[in-house]
Amino acid sequence: MTRVLLESIEKRYPGAAPSVADLDLTIEDGEFFTLLGPSGCGKSTTLRMVAGFIQPTRGRILFNDKDVTNTAPNRRDTGMVFQNYALFPHMSVRANVGYGLSVRRTSRAEKTKRVDRALEQVGLERYADRRIDMLSGGQQQRVALARALVIQPSVLLLDEPLSNLDAKLREETRAEIRGTQEAAGITSIYVTHDQAEAMAMSDRVAILESGRLHQVAPPREVYHRPATSFVARFIGRSNVLACTILEAGGDSVQVQLEDGTVLRAPRVPGTPSADVSRGDTAAVSLRPESFAVLRDAGSAGAGTGTGELKGTVRTAEFTGAVNVYEVDWNGNNLVVSVPDSEDRVSPGDPVVLAPHPDRVWLVAP
Ligand code: ADP
Ligand code: MG
């Protein structure tokens, strides 16, 4: 039963911008929580501060009510799984999993019991006596997971554990890791740069960029309600267009795009749309699937100003279920996907893109 709190955590190396800046996070008991962001954004640094391998420059880390900021790593009760499994290749699975218990001088009977249980947790009970170098990459990663679980840590920390596996194995293993974590009910912090992996596995995701936190939310919310243009672009595909706020009030915000087009976005408490006022600059995120695509009947004039974007099809790609179009809109390349139907459009066709009113989402620039 462990809840992890990071309070105003900062990590600064001499002569560099902060690797982690003013980070506040609460990871709930039993939660599968993911730190997601591009390489160098501060994920490993954050995880290692929770483990105790790195000391924060500022701030506090608490496990439940206990301040562990100055507690040594081996007294924090965390289990860690790394990208390179860090196993002893010539030793058996059982010896690798039991290693941490030998160091802790656990009795032989207790050790056997706990190793068996950990191997069962990761589905490797039949491989107990196999040498590590006789296992596949995915199996080795499960051994590494069992080795972390065998000490029955209160917090499990995983740093890009699937990066060394090929795509198919990565998908299988992520489901296994999530299943094992859920069954064990153990608070887990997972690090990845792979947004699909984060979305598939996590209860909540924290998105970091250059040491700064952009958003913490469940996967669906991160996708449908990105807080910033960075999140909108990093998660899935999105068209992010700069805009100016014309009016904000009640349950909607009216914005104007560069070409004069006026769009309406929902105004939702606790999101950037609730904080903007007339004259502010912001951006709207439009997912590729948020538009209806209509052939432009050729009405005169440029931007209609009525919530429709007029453009020209640059490319058309049939992908099976949907057609994906790249549309030139005032020199911007918009990506649009619509279900395949009879009235397809082709490169060169003038089109009108009509965003579904509830799919226009206001983000911080
Ligand atoms: P991530 O795991 O998200 O790829 P890291 O947490 O490893 O990123 O690194 C975050 C930033 O901190 C990077 O800019 C990295 O260069 C810097 N950094 C990490 N470790 C050190 C160190 N020991 N000394 C100086 N800078 C470091
Ligand atoms: Mg890293």
Side-chain angles (χ1 to χ4, degrees), residues 75-214:
R75 315 206 69 190
R76 287 196 189 190
D77 201 17
T78 60
M80 187 123 177
V81 182
F82 300 93
Q83 175 178 347
N84 57 353
Y85 326 121
L87 300 170
F88 301 112
H90 57 282
M91 278 164 46
S92 70
V93 167
R94 173 177 294 284
N96 269 276
V97 174
Y99 186 77
L101 296 178
S102 306
V103 172
R104 284 160 195 240
R105 302 206 195 153
T106 310
S107 76
R108 181 184 273 266
E110 173 70 10
K111 187 169 139 184
T112 306
K113 201 173 96 195
R114 278 167 64 172
V115 170
D116 285 346
R117 160 117 181 81
L119 288 176
E120 205 179 297
Q121 280 179 295
V122 301
L124 282 181
E125 55 273 49
R126 288 188 298 116
Y127 295 83
D129 300 315
R130 182 97 46 110
R131 272 169 56 142
I132 294 297
D133 51 12
M134 306 294 281
L135 297 178
S136 72
Q139 289 169 333
Q140 289 186 29
Q141 195 49 286
R142 278 149 66 192
V143 175
L145 181 58
R147 186 184 52 185
L149 290 171
V150 79
I151 59 166
Q152 298 171 336
S154 46
V155 183
L156 183 63
L157 306 172
L158 307 104
D159 194 347
E160 312 237 12
L162 305 181
S163 300
N164 285 346
L165 306 179
D166 64 48
K168 187 166 182 301
L169 202 51
R170 215 158 46 222
E171 278 183 29
E172 289 168 15
T173 314
R174 81 185 183 201
E176 283 166 3
I177 290 182
R178 181 65 224 245
T180 304
Q181 180 273 341
E182 221 159 12
I186 181 169
T187 309
S188 301
I189 310 180
Y190 188 92
V191 161
T192 182
H193 64 273
D194 181 334
Q195 51 108 5
E197 199 172 291
M199 302 294 264
M201 294 180 81
S202 316
D203 291 317
R204 285 189 306 153
V205 180
I207 294 135
L208 297 164
E209 183 221 11
S210 304
R212 297 194 175 274
L213 182 65
H214 278 249

Side-chain angles (χ1 to χ4, degrees), residues 241-248 253-258 267 271-284 362-365:
L241 310 177
C243 67
T244 310
I245 309 298
L246 288 181
E247 206 180 305
V253 180
Q254 228 174 50
V255 305
Q256 187 160 43
L257 307 183
E258 321 176 301
R267 189 158 174 262
T271 74
S273 60
D275 290 335
V276 292
S277 44
R278 188 184 172 78
D280 288 351
T281 53
V284 284
L362 192 86
V363 295

Side-chain angles (χ1 to χ4, degrees), residues 215-227:
Q215 186 169 13
V216 184
R220 280 200 170 71
E221 192 172 327
V222 161
Y223 185 82
H224 291 296
R225 297 181 162 187

